[in-house]
Amino acid sequence: MCRSIRTLRPPYAEEVTEQDVRAAALQYVRKVSGFRSPAAHNAEAFDAAVEEVARATEKLLAGLRVRGRD
């Protein structure tokens, strides 16, 4: 779907920063919305979506168990 979103779980990424998670969330929201940069009247919804996707991503990564790393 979004080729610029990289895998953020081990073993593909050993250290994942908040910036990595936010960048992935931003790319996802850009792809889904079709906006690279939203107009002012859409900025609040766009930014809220990025934050929500970032939170969901952090929750997902925290809950994953990778074989051989338990």
Side-chain angles (χ1 to χ4, degrees):
M1 180 168 137
C2 294
R3 294 177 193 185
S4 58
I5 296 176
R6 61 187 191 93
T7 303
L8 297 179
R9 72 163 178 83
Y12 304 102
E14 291 301 321
E15 289 187 40
V16 177
T17 66
E18 188 176 315
Q19 291 80 14
D20 294 330
V21 171
R22 188 170 191 308
L26 179 60
Q27 287 299 320
Y28 176 80
V29 172
R30 283 177 173 168
K31 184 68 165 186
V32 170
S33 69
F35 297 122
R36 173 156 173 67
S37 176
H41 62 277
N42 288 324
E44 185 176 338
F46 187 92
D47 293 341
V50 171
E51 294 308 315
E52 192 168 338
V53 170
R55 280 193 305 274
T57 300
E58 289 170 346
K59 185 176 179 180
L60 170 65
L61 292 173
L64 292 177
R65 291 180 31 194
V66 178
R67 289 184 194 177
R69 296 189 180 257
D70 296 341

